[in-house]
């Protein structure tokens, strides 16, 4: 290979290297955007999960309070000599 042919080959190699570097940077930006989008989505899902758990706990506490009141009424009936209907039962949550 002579020195005159090395110039155009060098230009081609430099251009090819630049194109590869540009493609790599483009892929990295795409990956970064995807990671940011997934982090945002995860954060939103975690907040939604916390809200759902808080609402579930609120309803669970209200249910347990109602069950406690019903048991109290049942005990009052039993202490008054009235037998409550044994077929009626609340599901235990």
């Amino acid at each position: 290979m002579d020195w005159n042919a090395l110039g155009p080959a060098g230009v081609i190699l430099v251009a090819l290297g630049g194109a590869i570097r540009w493609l790599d940077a483009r892929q990295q930006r795409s990956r970064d955007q995807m990671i940011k989008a997934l982090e945002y989505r995860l954060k939103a899902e975690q907040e939604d999960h916390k809200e759902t758990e808080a609402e579930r706990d609120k309803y669970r506490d209200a249910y347990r309070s109602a069950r406690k009141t019903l048991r109290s009424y049942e005990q009052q009936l039993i202490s008054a000599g009235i037998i409550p209907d044994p077929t009626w039962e609340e599901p235990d949550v």
Side-chain angles (χ1 to χ4, degrees):
M1 178 181 241
D2 64 351
W3 290 106
N4 293 331
L6 188 59
V11 169
I12 291 172
L13 289 176
V14 168
L16 185 61
I20 290 172
R21 183 178 292 177
W22 177 79
L23 285 173
D24 188 43
R26 183 175 163 208
Q27 287 177 344
Q28 187 62 39
R29 283 192 305 271
S30 178
R31 284 187 214 116
D32 291 344
Q33 289 174 350
M34 180 62 75
I35 289 171
K36 286 180 184 179
L38 289 173
E39 286 174 347
Y40 176 77
R41 186 172 168 190
L42 177 64
K43 185 178 177 183
E45 289 290 331
Q46 287 174 341
E47 289 174 4
D48 186 44
H49 182 70
K50 286 179 185 177
E51 291 173 6
T52 303
E53 282 186 342
E55 187 174 349
R56 181 204 60 200
D57 291 343
K58 181 179 74 172
Y59 284 117
R60 186 176 282 167
D61 290 342
Y63 173 77
R64 288 181 178 154
S65 175
R67 290 266 307 172
K68 188 175 180 181
T69 302
L70 288 173
R71 285 190 204 121
S72 172
Y73 290 150
E74 182 181 35
Q75 291 303 318
Q76 289 176 15
L77 288 173
I78 291 171
S79 66
I82 302 170
I83 300 174
D85 184 8
T87 59
W88 182 80
E89 286 187 22
E90 281 284 322
D92 191 24
V93 174

